[in-house]
């Protein structure tokens, strides 16, 4: 009886390092190779997105654009930390991801309140 890739996912995530397979008879070489490839591509794309958002953060043109870029960078850092957590096989960094998410949300709200206070009206 063959198992599907979704059935093997929790086992591969719990496995940690690619070379340390438990004594179960599950073919993991192809699956973990694909998983690591997807993680590496995801890391590269997130880093590209962070770079593009940094350009928007520095260039503007409006303050609201910079706020959205900063909030997007915070979300991308959360995704980056989660991908690195899966890649390293350790759940020690989940707290970091949650902290960055909360701080990013609070700063976006604070800057939005700053815009409302300085311009005297809500943005359209």
């Amino acid at each position: 009886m063959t198992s599907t890739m979704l059935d093997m996912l929790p086992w591969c995530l719990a496995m940690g390092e690619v070379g340390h397979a438990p004594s179960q008879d599950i073919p993991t070489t192809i699956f973990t190779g694909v998983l690591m490839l997807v993680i590496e591509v995801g890391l590269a794309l997130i880093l590209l997105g962070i770079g593009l958002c940094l350009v928007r953060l520095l260039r503007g043109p409006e303050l609201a654009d910079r706020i959205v870029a900063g909030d997007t960078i915070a979300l991308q850092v959360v995704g980056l930390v989660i991908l690195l957590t899966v890649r390293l096989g350790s759940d020690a960094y989940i707290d970091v991801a949650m902290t960055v998410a909360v701080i990013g949300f609070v700063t976006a709200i604070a800057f939005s309140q700053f815009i409302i206070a300085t311009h005297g009206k809500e943005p359209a």
Side-chain angles (χ1 to χ4, degrees), residues 3-112:
S3 60
T4 64
M5 291 176 82
L6 291 177
D7 293 334
M8 291 171 34
L9 182 61
W11 183 84
C12 289
L13 292 178
M15 186 175 67
E17 297 291 328
V18 176
H20 296 85
S23 62
Q24 296 177 358
D25 188 25
I26 298 177
T28 60
T29 56
I30 294 174
F31 183 72
T32 54
V34 170
L35 180 65
M36 292 302 138
L37 176 68
V38 168
I39 289 173
E40 297 297 325
V41 169
L43 288 172
L45 290 176
I46 287 177
L47 288 174
L48 176 69
I50 289 174
L52 292 173
C53 285
L54 280 174
V55 170
R56 178 55 57 199
L57 186 71
L58 296 174
R59 292 184 66 192
E62 300 291 328
L63 184 59
D65 296 326
R66 293 182 171 139
I67 293 170
V68 170
D71 190 39
T72 305
I73 288 173
L75 290 175
Q76 290 173 342
V77 167
V78 170
L80 185 72
V81 169
I82 290 173
L83 280 178
L84 287 174
T85 299
V86 173
R87 175 73 171 98
L88 296 174
S90 170
D91 60 350
Y93 303 109
I94 296 296
D95 294 335
V96 174
M98 290 172 45
T99 304
V100 170
V102 169
I103 289 173
F105 174 73
V106 170
T107 55
I109 296 298
F111 280 125
S112 299

